[in-house]
Structures are given as C-alpha cells and as structure tokens.
Amino acid sequence: MAGSITVLELFKNGIDVWSSISHFVALLIGVIGVWLALVAVVNYKNVGEGKCGAAKPLLQTIVASLMIAAARFIPIITATYFKDMDSRADNTFSPEALFSSIPAGDYGIGLAMNSVLLFIQMLGVIAVLRSFLMVWEAVNKGSGSGIMGKALTHFSGGVLAMNIQLTVSMVVSTFYPAFDISAWTGVSTF
C-alpha cells in the first residue's frame, strides 16, 4: 500500500481546496454583481419606455452594488479580529492564515482542525453568495414571495461561518463563561 493516502494528507489537501474555493466564490460574487448591474441598466431603459416601474431596477442596482462590494468585504470579514491581518501589509485574502494559531498535536489534530474550520468558512462564503442571489430573486418576483427571510438567514449564517473562530468563542463565553478556548481558537473569550 505504498500509494495509499493518509487522513493527515487529506486534511492537508483540504486546506488548499477550501481556500481556493473561498477565493473563487468571492471573485464569483463580484463577477455576478457586475452582470446583474448590467441587467439593472437594461431595466432602467424599460422604465423609460414605460414597461416596468422604477422600484425594480432601483432595488436591482442596490443588490448588484452590494455584490460588487462583497467581493472586497468578504476578505475583510474573514480577517476581522485576527492578528494575521495586522501583520500583512497587502491585506490579501488568505483564509489559510487565519487559523495558524491552532497548536498542532502529535497526531495532526491541529491540521485537521484547520481543515474543518476552513471548510466551514468556505460554506459561509457560499452562503453569502446564495443570500445575494435570493435577494435578487425576491426583487424580480416582488413582495410576498417569502424569500427575503431566507436570504437574511443565509447572509447571517454565512457571516457567522466566515468568522467561525469568533462565533465559537462567543457561544462558549456565553454558555460556558469559565471555559477557556483560547488555546485552540487563538481568540480570547470575551
């Protein structure tokens, strides 16, 4: 079994994959935002021709603008409250550096934790993209579609997942105030 792969190697490869997917989805949000802005411009033309009301393209412009801005603020959200962001002069999006303070054990537990936390962070970035697309769908369908609540839930959950260390720290400090988790999160409890 010389060619078999170990669990530790799977976690090492997972870190690269989750980081790459997060990069891709953050870029995808910006590209989709530009495309949706162009759709909103076409709808402004339709307003001038009397084919639709002004509210729809206005809301579409707001959603498209938020998506374009999200391509930049997602990396900022993921780096919030982490020491690594202060030391990097270029402020690049590198989620693999966020969990560097987790101690590595003899069995690769630190590496496994990095991989799992980056996977959760990647899911958070995808949830934010999904929330913007749901808001866009709600704007096109009109009110009463019931999508806005789901979009808000996706957005809130996505932001919490992108800041998974702080989310865990907040929950632990709320329900278990005497428990110190700074050893594995790198974030002191509040």
Side-chain angles (χ1 to χ4, degrees):
M1 293 210 155
S4 63
I5 190 166
T6 65
V7 173
L8 188 60
E9 291 170 353
L10 288 173
F11 283 126
K12 283 182 185 177
N13 294 335
I15 288 174
D16 295 333
V17 170
W18 312 144
S19 296
S20 298
I21 291 173
S22 293
H23 284 280
F24 173 74
V25 173
L27 178 68
L28 185 66
I29 289 172
V31 170
I32 292 173
V34 169
W35 176 71
L36 294 178
L38 294 174
V39 170
V41 168
V42 170
N43 281 334
Y44 279 118
K45 182 181 135 295
N46 292 338
V47 168
E49 295 172 355
K51 295 180 181 176
C52 69
K56 180 178 177 178
L58 183 62
L59 290 173
Q60 288 175 335
T61 302
I62 291 170
V63 172
S65 300
L66 287 173
M67 288 183 76
I68 292 168
R72 180 63 187 130
F73 79 68
I74 283 179
I76 293 169
I77 289 174
T78 58
T80 304
Y81 298 113
F82 291 101
K83 297 173 188 172
D84 294 330
M85 192 65 179
D86 297 333
S87 63
R88 287 195 311 261
D90 57 354
N91 293 335
T92 56
F93 182 39
S94 58
E96 64 276 357
L98 294 178
F99 305 111
S100 60
S101 59
I102 297 175
D106 295 335
Y107 302 107
I109 293 172
L111 184 64
M113 186 64 74
N114 283 345
S115 183
V116 168
L117 292 176
L118 282 171
F119 177 76
I120 292 170
Q121 184 184 31
M122 177 203 63
L123 292 178
V125 174
I126 292 171
V128 169
L129 170 64
R130 176 93 171 109
S131 72
F132 283 126
L133 295 177
M134 292 171 96
V135 169
W136 182 266
E137 183 181 349
V139 166
N140 289 333
K141 286 186 175 181
S143 62
S145 61
I147 297 174
M148 288 303 288
K150 293 177 185 177
L152 183 60
T153 302
H154 274 76
F155 186 77
S156 301
V159 169
L160 289 174
M162 284 189 294
N163 281 321
I164 187 63
Q165 284 184 317
L166 290 176
T167 303
V168 169
S169 177
M170 180 181 61
V171 169
V172 168
S173 65
T174 300
F175 296 108
Y176 304 101
F179 188 74
D180 183 25
I181 61 165
S182 62
W184 73 273
T185 62
V187 176
S188 61
T189 54
F190 300 104

